[in-house]
Amino acid sequence: KTMERRLDSIHAVNYSLLMDLLGYSQSKLFQLEKNFDELIFSDQLLAKSELKKYVQVTDEEIDRAKERVQESFAQLTLDDVSVVTIKSALYPPLLKKIKRAPLVLFLRGIGDLMQLPCVSVVGSRAATQEGKLRAQKVAIALTENNYGIVSGLAKGIDTAAH
């Protein structure tokens, strides 16, 4: 598991670096000449020379992007957030099946819970107190029956479900 976590971290950094250099455009990532899988899921961090083959950037732009990514990952560590890539055994099997599944997931909590059947609880961002209480009751009932709750943590009902 330690080796898998190390590789997940390398893959997440490679992904984040490429996304930073591409202006966070997923479509640009999918248009790279080389299969982006080979770039991201390398067993080592991407070198400047490798990046420059596929993204037209200067050394200085790469250095600044690396700094931003390092700062982001330092903050993730402080916030107790871990990364799971699509190549990881922890990646949810059903999510892997969707077209253009996220390559990297950032999670806080117990990663093994992603293997549970999941339900998304969504609703208004401007939820009433009654709506929030109902969302909490639904979420409690689901978790007591071994379902995971999934959401983007938007304000309102999504947040109340957690």
Side-chain angles (χ1 to χ4, degrees):
K1 273 196 167 186
T2 303
M3 179 61 152
E4 184 174 342
R5 284 196 178 124
R6 183 183 156 281
L7 281 175
D8 269 353
S9 293
I10 289 171
H11 299 162
V13 168
N14 286 343
Y15 170 80
S16 298
L17 185 56
L18 272 172
M19 290 302 289
D20 185 288
L21 293 169
L22 294 169
Y24 291 92
S25 169
Q26 189 107 351
S27 62
K28 286 182 183 176
L29 179 67
F30 290 122
Q31 292 170 4
L32 289 179
E33 288 177 31
K34 184 173 182 176
N35 184 345
F36 64 86
D37 265 16
E38 293 174 33
L39 289 170
I40 293 169
F41 299 113
S42 166
D43 61 354
Q44 56 193 348
L45 294 173
L46 290 171
K48 280 184 187 179
S49 59
E50 187 72 10
L51 285 165
K52 289 173 81 171
K53 287 181 192 175
Y54 303 100
V55 184
Q56 293 186 345
V57 290
T58 65
D59 284 349
E60 293 78 24
E61 289 171 312
I62 293 171
D63 291 339
R64 284 193 301 273
K66 283 185 175 184
E67 262 182 51
R68 287 189 296 270
V69 169
Q70 286 173 346
E71 288 170 10
S72 295
F73 276 81
Q75 188 61 51
L76 290 174
T77 301
L78 289 174
D79 292 341
D80 199 27
V81 173
S82 57
V83 294
V84 175
T85 68
I86 199 165
K87 302 282 187 184
S88 171
L90 288 175
Y91 196 93
L94 288 175
L95 185 58
K96 201 179 272 191
K97 292 180 182 182
I98 69 170
K99 185 178 179 179
R100 294 206 175 161
L103 300 176
V104 178
L105 300 175
F106 297 89
L107 86 108
R108 181 182 291 144
I110 304 167
D112 293 339
L113 294 177
M114 291 192 302
Q115 304 306 311
L116 294 174
C118 294
V119 175
S120 183
V121 178
V122 295
S124 174
R125 289 178 186 226
T128 63
Q129 195 59 34
E130 176 68 19
K132 291 177 185 178
L133 288 172
R134 287 181 187 224
Q136 287 173 344
K137 286 180 182 179
V138 167
I140 289 168
L142 287 166
T143 57
E144 286 174 347
N145 286 286
N146 294 319
Y147 283 86
I149 307 299
V150 178
S151 85
L153 289 175
K155 186 174 122 181
I157 296 297
D158 289 37
T159 302
H162 289 277

